[in-house]
Amino acid sequence: MERVPILKLGDILIISIQIDLEDQSVLALQEDLAEAVVAHSARGVIIDITAVEIVDSFIGRMLATIAAMSRMLDAQTVVVGMRPAVAITLVELGLSLGGVRTALNLEKGVALLDHVRGATP
Amino acid sequence: MTVDADVARRRIEELLRTNEEQILRRWTLITKATPEELTDLYQALNRALDSGGEDLADVRGLLAELSRSRARQGFTPSETSRAVFGLKEALYEVVEEDGGADALRGFIWFSRLIDDLGLFTFETYATAREKIILDQAEQLLELSTPVVKLWEGIVAVPLVGTLDSARTQVVMEKLLQTLVDTGAEHAVIDITGVPAVDTQVAQHLLKAVVAARLMGAECVISGIRPQIAHTIVTLGIEFGDIVTKASLADALAHALRRSGVQVSTPRGTRISVRTEDA
Amino acid sequence: MTGGSELPIASNADVVLVRQQVRSAALEVGLSLVDQTKVVTAASELARNALVYGGGGMARVEIVENGPRKGLKLVFSDEGPGIADVEQALTDGWTTGGGLGLGLSGSRRLVDEFDLVSAPSKGTTVTVTKWAR
Ligand SMILES: Nc1ncnc2c1ncn2[C@@H]1O[C@H](COP(=O)(O)OP(=O)(O)OP(=O)(O)O)[C@@H](O)[C@H]1O
Ligand SMILES: [Mg+2]
């Protein structure tokens, strides 16, 4: 089973999903990330799915879970880089990703985190 | 009109009436038209001649119809007018059989009439062709609906013409891809130029707005005509929390405000990142 | 590969393989990028259901033709406990596994043809088809 690496950039954690994840890896990522948020006192989490070709209900649930979990640990989550085909498919599937912030790309994701933290110090 | 000419003309009208079956059969053989089309035309012509021959409106109407359908089916202009000129040939056989001087003289008069109608056919054919070419150009234009940049970070798709499900999907995919390519966080879908939408098209528009949101961008729909608003309401489609504006200008103003641009302040424009609230 | 290929669904890794196989078949059929994404997503849902609820099963990937149109036909079958109330299982949000309950109902929206055959203790077979435009 492959594990997704978690990068640290200041007080932001960046997860860039580069491979077709099996469900076990998805669950492992959730756990690893919760630990990392606490260990690094991270204030923000960015999940980059630019390379992800499909988001099914399982991955969708992971994104929502990570967002809810990090909120509890006082960190904000932004999902960045969702492809148009993936977004169109998610809408058809019926997944709204409620509670998950999104941005078009990594740069905008970082800016969004800065802005959110600026607004709620 | 001289007495002689009148007699000659009567003779032709008589021949046309009494030899209808033979002339029609011959005419059908010469032209590529269907017997039904020609019969209609033939009878309209007879009626017009009976009532003095001045009012050719019905005949012209039928001929226009014939030319338009020929133009659409891709017949050449000469093939099309030959359908009319064929009547001369068909009648000539009857005139020849008759052999009388009146009939021959009358035939000259009839030829001129048919020539005029033939030219008319040619003209309507040309107009119809032109219209077809224009329509095709318009369809091409529709297919290449541009996604335009209105402002830094704001793009728009001005939709014009009939929207079917397939075209809407193509355009919406293009819009979403443009968001990725340009990094624009605001999009305006302007449907001022769209006369009507059906359920499917309305759904596709809504889905595009939701998909854009999933990607991290906000869409505004502008220029919804009263008729379309009515359709959407009667179809029971939920527009939910999707922002709609009366005009493209209103939508742009909204997008500018949302993207934090302050117009006409002493400090000039300021751009900041959008927030999720409100 | 018009004869179709059979793939086992016995582990999470197999679900990934099914997705990849369906993706390459979708490319071969000439589905648009969006349609490829839709059918692979549906395959992922249905393969996972066969694994999680059916205790594992098989996926069949087949290229079909209807006149000039090509399509992708997928069959997911298992010999698990089956579904007692198919209507209910196809309702958005209905789940017995703590999921989102969108796998079946959502996949149905993602494909052109959807057929679910299931009976208690007889296993479940879901057949879907996506046609190229
Ligand atoms: N192959 C199967 N065998 C037995 N039961 C099944 C099978 N597939 C689905 N079900 C039943 O139908 C329900 C709905 O399935 P569906 O895939 O729609 O949702 P889910 O798997 O619970 O959640 P998710 O949204 O994560 O897929 C399941 O909870 C399960 O009870
Ligand atoms: Mg499921």
PDB file of all heavy atoms in Angstrom, chain A residues 57-58 61, chain C residues 45-46 48-50 53-54 78 80-83 89 91 94-105 118 124, ligand 1:
ATOM      1  N   SER A  57     -17.250   8.489  -4.494  1.00  0.00           N
ATOM      2  CA  SER A  57     -17.856   8.826  -3.205  1.00  0.00           C
ATOM      3  C   SER A  57     -16.875   8.589  -2.047  1.00  0.00           C
ATOM      4  O   SER A  57     -16.923   9.284  -1.042  1.00  0.00           O
ATOM      5  CB  SER A  57     -19.148   8.026  -2.990  1.00  0.00           C
ATOM      6  OG  SER A  57     -18.872   6.650  -2.899  1.00  0.00           O
ATOM      7  N   PHE A  58     -15.963   7.637  -2.234  1.00  0.00           N
ATOM      8  CA  PHE A  58     -15.015   7.340  -1.150  1.00  0.00           C
ATOM      9  C   PHE A  58     -14.014   8.479  -0.950  1.00  0.00           C
ATOM     10  O   PHE A  58     -13.798   8.941   0.173  1.00  0.00           O
ATOM     11  CB  PHE A  58     -14.276   6.032  -1.467  1.00  0.00           C
ATOM     12  CG  PHE A  58     -13.666   5.392  -0.257  1.00  0.00           C
ATOM     13  CD1 PHE A  58     -14.421   4.598   0.592  1.00  0.00           C
ATOM     14  CD2 PHE A  58     -12.326   5.600   0.044  1.00  0.00           C
ATOM     15  CE1 PHE A  58     -13.862   4.020   1.714  1.00  0.00           C
ATOM     16  CE2 PHE A  58     -11.755   5.021   1.170  1.00  0.00           C
ATOM     17  CZ  PHE A  58     -12.524   4.231   2.001  1.00  0.00           C
ATOM     18  N   ARG A  61     -15.763  11.531   0.333  1.00  0.00           N
ATOM     19  CA  ARG A  61     -16.005  11.467   1.778  1.00  0.00           C
ATOM     20  C   ARG A  61     -14.723  11.789   2.547  1.00  0.00           C
ATOM     21  O   ARG A  61     -14.739  12.471   3.559  1.00  0.00           O
ATOM     22  CB  ARG A  61     -16.512  10.076   2.139  1.00  0.00           C
ATOM     23  CG  ARG A  61     -17.014   9.932   3.541  1.00  0.00           C
ATOM     24  CD  ARG A  61     -18.166   8.957   3.593  1.00  0.00           C
ATOM     25  NE  ARG A  61     -17.872   7.767   2.805  1.00  0.00           N
ATOM     26  CZ  ARG A  61     -17.698   6.553   3.334  1.00  0.00           C
ATOM     27  NH1 ARG A  61     -17.813   6.369   4.621  1.00  0.00           N
ATOM     28  NH2 ARG A  61     -17.445   5.518   2.571  1.00  0.00           N
TER      29      ARG A  61
ATOM     30  N   GLU C  45     -17.356   2.924  -8.093  1.00  0.00           N
ATOM     31  CA  GLU C  45     -18.439   2.731  -7.111  1.00  0.00           C
ATOM     32  C   GLU C  45     -18.929   1.288  -7.113  1.00  0.00           C
ATOM     33  O   GLU C  45     -19.108   0.670  -6.062  1.00  0.00           O
ATOM     34  CB  GLU C  45     -19.630   3.650  -7.443  1.00  0.00           C
ATOM     35  CG  GLU C  45     -19.344   5.139  -7.341  1.00  0.00           C
ATOM     36  CD  GLU C  45     -19.026   5.595  -5.930  1.00  0.00           C
ATOM     37  OE1 GLU C  45     -19.351   4.866  -4.976  1.00  0.00           O
ATOM     38  OE2 GLU C  45     -18.435   6.686  -5.784  1.00  0.00           O
ATOM     39  N   LEU C  46     -19.180   0.768  -8.312  1.00  0.00           N
ATOM     40  CA  LEU C  46     -19.793  -0.553  -8.415  1.00  0.00           C
ATOM     41  C   LEU C  46     -18.811  -1.657  -8.026  1.00  0.00           C
ATOM     42  O   LEU C  46     -19.203  -2.649  -7.400  1.00  0.00           O
ATOM     43  CB  LEU C  46     -20.340  -0.765  -9.833  1.00  0.00           C
ATOM     44  CG  LEU C  46     -21.435   0.258 -10.213  1.00  0.00           C
ATOM     45  CD1 LEU C  46     -21.820   0.143 -11.680  1.00  0.00           C
ATOM     46  CD2 LEU C  46     -22.669   0.095  -9.315  1.00  0.00           C
ATOM     47  N   ARG C  48     -16.383  -1.296  -5.881  1.00  0.00           N
ATOM     48  CA  ARG C  48     -16.244  -1.224  -4.422  1.00  0.00           C
ATOM     49  C   ARG C  48     -17.442  -1.871  -3.727  1.00  0.00           C
ATOM     50  O   ARG C  48     -17.271  -2.598  -2.750  1.00  0.00           O
ATOM     51  CB  ARG C  48     -16.092   0.218  -3.958  1.00  0.00           C
ATOM     52  CG  ARG C  48     -15.921   0.335  -2.442  1.00  0.00           C
ATOM     53  CD  ARG C  48     -15.783   1.756  -1.975  1.00  0.00           C
ATOM     54  NE  ARG C  48     -14.599   2.402  -2.498  1.00  0.00           N
ATOM     55  CZ  ARG C  48     -14.614   3.373  -3.406  1.00  0.00           C
ATOM     56  NH1 ARG C  48     -15.771   3.806  -3.888  1.00  0.00           N
ATOM     57  NH2 ARG C  48     -13.499   3.914  -3.826  1.00  0.00           N
ATOM     58  N   ASN C  49     -18.633  -1.635  -4.243  1.00  0.00           N
ATOM     59  CA  ASN C  49     -19.820  -2.277  -3.664  1.00  0.00           C
ATOM     60  C   ASN C  49     -19.698  -3.800  -3.720  1.00  0.00           C
ATOM     61  O   ASN C  49     -20.023  -4.493  -2.753  1.00  0.00           O
ATOM     62  CB  ASN C  49     -21.088  -1.861  -4.420  1.00  0.00           C
ATOM     63  CG  ASN C  49     -21.604  -0.499  -3.957  1.00  0.00           C
ATOM     64  OD1 ASN C  49     -21.065   0.088  -3.016  1.00  0.00           O
ATOM     65  ND2 ASN C  49     -22.628   0.001  -4.619  1.00  0.00           N
ATOM     66  N   ALA C  50     -19.238  -4.320  -4.887  1.00  0.00           N
ATOM     67  CA  ALA C  50     -19.090  -5.776  -5.038  1.00  0.00           C
ATOM     68  C   ALA C  50     -18.103  -6.307  -4.006  1.00  0.00           C
ATOM     69  O   ALA C  50     -18.285  -7.389  -3.449  1.00  0.00           O
ATOM     70  CB  ALA C  50     -18.639  -6.119  -6.454  1.00  0.00           C
ATOM     71  N   TYR C  53     -19.791  -5.159  -0.055  1.00  0.00           N
ATOM     72  CA  TYR C  53     -21.066  -5.790   0.332  1.00  0.00           C
ATOM     73  C   TYR C  53     -21.199  -7.205  -0.221  1.00  0.00           C
ATOM     74  O   TYR C  53     -21.845  -8.050   0.378  1.00  0.00           O
ATOM     75  CB  TYR C  53     -22.254  -4.952  -0.150  1.00  0.00           C
ATOM     76  CG  TYR C  53     -22.220  -3.534   0.364  1.00  0.00           C
ATOM     77  CD1 TYR C  53     -21.962  -2.471  -0.486  1.00  0.00           C
ATOM     78  CD2 TYR C  53     -22.436  -3.267   1.717  1.00  0.00           C
ATOM     79  CE1 TYR C  53     -21.921  -1.165  -0.018  1.00  0.00           C
ATOM     80  CE2 TYR C  53     -22.392  -1.965   2.197  1.00  0.00           C
ATOM     81  CZ  TYR C  53     -22.131  -0.923   1.322  1.00  0.00           C
ATOM     82  OH  TYR C  53     -22.081   0.355   1.794  1.00  0.00           O
ATOM     83  N   GLY C  54     -20.606  -7.435  -1.406  1.00  0.00           N
ATOM     84  CA  GLY C  54     -20.769  -8.759  -2.034  1.00  0.00           C
ATOM     85  C   GLY C  54     -19.656  -9.723  -1.651  1.00  0.00           C
ATOM     86  O   GLY C  54     -19.658 -10.863  -2.104  1.00  0.00           O
ATOM     87  N   ASP C  78     -21.388 -10.336  -8.122  1.00  0.00           N
ATOM     88  CA  ASP C  78     -20.877 -10.988  -6.914  1.00  0.00           C
ATOM     89  C   ASP C  78     -21.886 -12.021  -6.466  1.00  0.00           C
ATOM     90  O   ASP C  78     -23.009 -12.063  -6.960  1.00  0.00           O
ATOM     91  CB  ASP C  78     -20.615  -9.946  -5.812  1.00  0.00           C
ATOM     92  CG  ASP C  78     -21.883  -9.267  -5.331  1.00  0.00           C
ATOM     93  OD1 ASP C  78     -22.783  -9.960  -4.804  1.00  0.00           O
ATOM     94  OD2 ASP C  78     -21.985  -8.022  -5.486  1.00  0.00           O
ATOM     95  N   GLY C  80     -22.673 -12.442  -3.236  1.00  0.00           N
ATOM     96  CA  GLY C  80     -22.861 -12.070  -1.839  1.00  0.00           C
ATOM     97  C   GLY C  80     -24.311 -12.174  -1.396  1.00  0.00           C
ATOM     98  O   GLY C  80     -25.108 -12.884  -2.012  1.00  0.00           O
ATOM     99  N   PRO C  81     -24.661 -11.450  -0.334  1.00  0.00           N
ATOM    100  CA  PRO C  81     -25.997 -11.569   0.270  1.00  0.00           C
ATOM    101  C   PRO C  81     -27.126 -10.995  -0.584  1.00  0.00           C
ATOM    102  O   PRO C  81     -28.297 -11.277  -0.319  1.00  0.00           O
ATOM    103  CB  PRO C  81     -25.857 -10.766   1.565  1.00  0.00           C
ATOM    104  CG  PRO C  81     -24.768  -9.791   1.277  1.00  0.00           C
ATOM    105  CD  PRO C  81     -23.809 -10.509   0.387  1.00  0.00           C
ATOM    106  N   GLY C  82     -26.789 -10.221  -1.632  1.00  0.00           N
ATOM    107  CA  GLY C  82     -27.844  -9.638  -2.465  1.00  0.00           C
ATOM    108  C   GLY C  82     -28.521  -8.469  -1.787  1.00  0.00           C
ATOM    109  O   GLY C  82     -28.209  -8.118  -0.641  1.00  0.00           O
ATOM    110  N   ILE C  83     -29.427  -7.844  -2.514  1.00  0.00           N
ATOM    111  CA  ILE C  83     -30.128  -6.669  -2.000  1.00  0.00           C
ATOM    112  C   ILE C  83     -31.617  -7.000  -1.930  1.00  0.00           C
ATOM    113  O   ILE C  83     -32.213  -7.389  -2.928  1.00  0.00           O
ATOM    114  CB  ILE C  83     -29.903  -5.454  -2.927  1.00  0.00           C
ATOM    115  CG1 ILE C  83     -28.394  -5.158  -3.051  1.00  0.00           C
ATOM    116  CG2 ILE C  83     -30.646  -4.232  -2.419  1.00  0.00           C
ATOM    117  CD1 ILE C  83     -28.061  -4.111  -4.085  1.00  0.00           C
ATOM    118  N   ALA C  89     -32.296   0.612  -2.261  1.00  0.00           N
ATOM    119  CA  ALA C  89     -30.839   0.701  -2.442  1.00  0.00           C
ATOM    120  C   ALA C  89     -30.483   1.756  -3.480  1.00  0.00           C
ATOM    121  O   ALA C  89     -29.415   2.346  -3.435  1.00  0.00           O
ATOM    122  CB  ALA C  89     -30.270  -0.648  -2.851  1.00  0.00           C
ATOM    123  N   THR C  91     -31.970   4.573  -3.825  1.00  0.00           N
ATOM    124  CA  THR C  91     -32.350   5.909  -3.372  1.00  0.00           C
ATOM    125  C   THR C  91     -31.106   6.667  -2.920  1.00  0.00           C
ATOM    126  O   THR C  91     -30.259   6.112  -2.230  1.00  0.00           O
ATOM    127  CB  THR C  91     -33.316   5.806  -2.174  1.00  0.00           C
ATOM    128  OG1 THR C  91     -34.300   4.829  -2.484  1.00  0.00           O
ATOM    129  CG2 THR C  91     -33.991   7.132  -1.891  1.00  0.00           C
ATOM    130  N   TRP C  94     -29.254   6.338   0.748  1.00  0.00           N
ATOM    131  CA  TRP C  94     -29.559   5.132   1.524  1.00  0.00           C
ATOM    132  C   TRP C  94     -28.324   4.255   1.627  1.00  0.00           C
ATOM    133  O   TRP C  94     -27.738   3.850   0.618  1.00  0.00           O
ATOM    134  CB  TRP C  94     -30.713   4.355   0.899  1.00  0.00           C
ATOM    135  CG  TRP C  94     -31.271   3.350   1.868  1.00  0.00           C
ATOM    136  CD1 TRP C  94     -32.140   3.587   2.887  1.00  0.00           C
ATOM    137  CD2 TRP C  94     -30.936   1.961   1.934  1.00  0.00           C
ATOM    138  NE1 TRP C  94     -32.385   2.443   3.589  1.00  0.00           N
ATOM    139  CE2 TRP C  94     -31.654   1.428   3.031  1.00  0.00           C
ATOM    140  CE3 TRP C  94     -30.106   1.123   1.200  1.00  0.00           C
ATOM    141  CZ2 TRP C  94     -31.577   0.086   3.389  1.00  0.00           C
ATOM    142  CZ3 TRP C  94     -30.023  -0.216   1.559  1.00  0.00           C
ATOM    143  CH2 TRP C  94     -30.751  -0.732   2.652  1.00  0.00           C
ATOM    144  N   THR C  95     -27.901   3.956   2.847  1.00  0.00           N
ATOM    145  CA  THR C  95     -26.704   3.137   3.038  1.00  0.00           C
ATOM    146  C   THR C  95     -26.853   2.228   4.248  1.00  0.00           C
ATOM    147  O   THR C  95     -27.511   2.590   5.215  1.00  0.00           O
ATOM    148  CB  THR C  95     -25.460   4.030   3.223  1.00  0.00           C
ATOM    149  OG1 THR C  95     -24.334   3.215   3.513  1.00  0.00           O
ATOM    150  CG2 THR C  95     -25.646   5.038   4.345  1.00  0.00           C
ATOM    151  N   THR C  96     -26.257   1.042   4.161  1.00  0.00           N
ATOM    152  CA  THR C  96     -26.196   0.178   5.345  1.00  0.00           C
ATOM    153  C   THR C  96     -24.756   0.113   5.831  1.00  0.00           C
ATOM    154  O   THR C  96     -24.458  -0.494   6.834  1.00  0.00           O
ATOM    155  CB  THR C  96     -26.659  -1.262   5.022  1.00  0.00           C
ATOM    156  OG1 THR C  96     -25.806  -1.796   4.000  1.00  0.00           O
ATOM    157  CG2 THR C  96     -28.094  -1.290   4.558  1.00  0.00           C
ATOM    158  N   GLY C  97     -23.858   0.745   5.053  1.00  0.00           N
ATOM    159  CA  GLY C  97     -22.438   0.608   5.374  1.00  0.00           C
ATOM    160  C   GLY C  97     -21.802   1.891   5.870  1.00  0.00           C
ATOM    161  O   GLY C  97     -20.583   2.016   5.834  1.00  0.00           O
ATOM    162  N   GLY C  98     -22.606   2.849   6.293  1.00  0.00           N
ATOM    163  CA  GLY C  98     -22.046   4.109   6.766  1.00  0.00           C
ATOM    164  C   GLY C  98     -21.423   4.935   5.658  1.00  0.00           C
ATOM    165  O   GLY C  98     -20.594   5.797   5.896  1.00  0.00           O
ATOM    166  N   GLY C  99     -21.839   4.653   4.415  1.00  0.00           N
ATOM    167  CA  GLY C  99     -21.329   5.443   3.290  1.00  0.00           C
ATOM    168  C   GLY C  99     -22.217   6.647   3.065  1.00  0.00           C
ATOM    169  O   GLY C  99     -22.998   7.035   3.948  1.00  0.00           O
ATOM    170  N   LEU C 100     -22.095   7.236   1.902  1.00  0.00           N
ATOM    171  CA  LEU C 100     -22.946   8.373   1.561  1.00  0.00           C
ATOM    172  C   LEU C 100     -24.226   7.902   0.874  1.00  0.00           C
ATOM    173  O   LEU C 100     -25.141   8.688   0.644  1.00  0.00           O
ATOM    174  CB  LEU C 100     -22.199   9.346   0.644  1.00  0.00           C
ATOM    175  CG  LEU C 100     -20.976  10.034   1.259  1.00  0.00           C
ATOM    176  CD1 LEU C 100     -20.157  10.720   0.196  1.00  0.00           C
ATOM    177  CD2 LEU C 100     -21.416  11.030   2.322  1.00  0.00           C
ATOM    178  N   GLY C 101     -24.262   6.618   0.528  1.00  0.00           N
ATOM    179  CA  GLY C 101     -25.442   6.092  -0.152  1.00  0.00           C
ATOM    180  C   GLY C 101     -25.628   6.677  -1.532  1.00  0.00           C
ATOM    181  O   GLY C 101     -26.740   6.818  -2.031  1.00  0.00           O
ATOM    182  N   LEU C 102     -24.507   7.023  -2.168  1.00  0.00           N
ATOM    183  CA  LEU C 102     -24.591   7.628  -3.503  1.00  0.00           C
ATOM    184  C   LEU C 102     -24.016   6.720  -4.588  1.00  0.00           C
ATOM    185  O   LEU C 102     -24.122   7.014  -5.778  1.00  0.00           O
ATOM    186  CB  LEU C 102     -23.831   8.965  -3.529  1.00  0.00           C
ATOM    187  CG  LEU C 102     -24.494  10.119  -2.791  1.00  0.00           C
ATOM    188  CD1 LEU C 102     -23.571  11.323  -2.763  1.00  0.00           C
ATOM    189  CD2 LEU C 102     -25.818  10.481  -3.461  1.00  0.00           C
ATOM    190  N   GLY C 103     -23.404   5.610  -4.170  1.00  0.00           N
ATOM    191  CA  GLY C 103     -22.724   4.744  -5.134  1.00  0.00           C
ATOM    192  C   GLY C 103     -23.652   4.241  -6.222  1.00  0.00           C
ATOM    193  O   GLY C 103     -23.399   4.444  -7.414  1.00  0.00           O
ATOM    194  N   LEU C 104     -24.748   3.597  -5.820  1.00  0.00           N
ATOM    195  CA  LEU C 104     -25.670   3.021  -6.800  1.00  0.00           C
ATOM    196  C   LEU C 104     -26.457   4.094  -7.534  1.00  0.00           C
ATOM    197  O   LEU C 104     -26.470   4.149  -8.765  1.00  0.00           O
ATOM    198  CB  LEU C 104     -26.642   2.054  -6.112  1.00  0.00           C
ATOM    199  CG  LEU C 104     -26.082   0.673  -5.737  1.00  0.00           C
ATOM    200  CD1 LEU C 104     -27.162  -0.145  -5.033  1.00  0.00           C
ATOM    201  CD2 LEU C 104     -25.591  -0.067  -6.973  1.00  0.00           C
ATOM    202  N   SER C 105     -27.110   4.976  -6.787  1.00  0.00           N
ATOM    203  CA  SER C 105     -27.956   5.998  -7.409  1.00  0.00           C
ATOM    204  C   SER C 105     -27.117   6.934  -8.276  1.00  0.00           C
ATOM    205  O   SER C 105     -27.522   7.313  -9.381  1.00  0.00           O
ATOM    206  CB  SER C 105     -28.701   6.783  -6.336  1.00  0.00           C
ATOM    207  OG  SER C 105     -27.781   7.280  -5.377  1.00  0.00           O
ATOM    208  N   SER C 118     -30.769  -8.390  -8.479  1.00  0.00           N
ATOM    209  CA  SER C 118     -30.319  -8.872  -7.184  1.00  0.00           C
ATOM    210  C   SER C 118     -31.467  -9.518  -6.421  1.00  0.00           C
ATOM    211  O   SER C 118     -32.622  -9.119  -6.571  1.00  0.00           O
ATOM    212  CB  SER C 118     -29.762  -7.707  -6.363  1.00  0.00           C
ATOM    213  OG  SER C 118     -29.241  -8.177  -5.151  1.00  0.00           O
ATOM    214  N   THR C 124     -25.518 -10.214  -6.524  1.00  0.00           N
ATOM    215  CA  THR C 124     -25.920  -8.986  -7.204  1.00  0.00           C
ATOM    216  C   THR C 124     -25.170  -8.843  -8.516  1.00  0.00           C
ATOM    217  O   THR C 124     -23.966  -9.114  -8.574  1.00  0.00           O
ATOM    218  CB  THR C 124     -25.610  -7.777  -6.301  1.00  0.00           C
ATOM    219  OG1 THR C 124     -26.303  -7.938  -5.068  1.00  0.00           O
ATOM    220  CG2 THR C 124     -26.037  -6.467  -6.956  1.00  0.00           C
TER     221      THR C 124
HETATM  222  N1  LIG D   1     -23.154  -5.657  -4.379  1.00  0.00           N
HETATM  223  C1  LIG D   1     -23.959  -5.452  -3.324  1.00  0.00           C
HETATM  224  N2  LIG D   1     -24.359  -6.488  -2.546  1.00  0.00           N
HETATM  225  C2  LIG D   1     -25.156  -6.285  -1.479  1.00  0.00           C
HETATM  226  N3  LIG D   1     -25.634  -5.074  -1.108  1.00  0.00           N
HETATM  227  C3  LIG D   1     -25.284  -4.011  -1.835  1.00  0.00           C
HETATM  228  C4  LIG D   1     -24.440  -4.129  -2.979  1.00  0.00           C
HETATM  229  N4  LIG D   1     -24.272  -2.898  -3.498  1.00  0.00           N
HETATM  230  C5  LIG D   1     -24.980  -2.043  -2.740  1.00  0.00           C
HETATM  231  N5  LIG D   1     -25.595  -2.700  -1.727  1.00  0.00           N
HETATM  232  C6  LIG D   1     -26.470  -2.099  -0.711  1.00  0.00           C
HETATM  233  O1  LIG D   1     -27.006  -0.881  -1.208  1.00  0.00           O
HETATM  234  C7  LIG D   1     -26.669   0.203  -0.340  1.00  0.00           C
HETATM  235  C8  LIG D   1     -26.445   1.447  -1.163  1.00  0.00           C
HETATM  236  O2  LIG D   1     -25.262   1.305  -1.923  1.00  0.00           O
HETATM  237  P1  LIG D   1     -24.507   2.606  -2.423  1.00  0.00           P
HETATM  238  O3  LIG D   1     -23.301   2.202  -3.155  1.00  0.00           O
HETATM  239  O4  LIG D   1     -25.514   3.448  -3.128  1.00  0.00           O
HETATM  240  O5  LIG D   1     -24.133   3.343  -1.091  1.00  0.00           O
HETATM  241  P2  LIG D   1     -22.989   2.991  -0.050  1.00  0.00           P
HETATM  242  O6  LIG D   1     -22.059   2.000  -0.634  1.00  0.00           O
HETATM  243  O7  LIG D   1     -23.643   2.608   1.211  1.00  0.00           O
HETATM  244  O8  LIG D   1     -22.251   4.386   0.113  1.00  0.00           O
HETATM  245  P3  LIG D   1     -21.297   5.093  -0.958  1.00  0.00           P
HETATM  246  O9  LIG D   1     -21.974   6.373  -1.279  1.00  0.00           O
HETATM  247  O10 LIG D   1     -20.003   5.288  -0.291  1.00  0.00           O
HETATM  248  O11 LIG D   1     -21.204   4.185  -2.136  1.00  0.00           O
HETATM  249  C9  LIG D   1     -25.446  -0.267   0.398  1.00  0.00           C
HETATM  250  O12 LIG D   1     -25.329   0.390   1.643  1.00  0.00           O
HETATM  251  C10 LIG D   1     -25.725  -1.751   0.560  1.00  0.00           C
HETATM  252  O13 LIG D   1     -26.615  -1.993   1.626  1.00  0.00           O
END
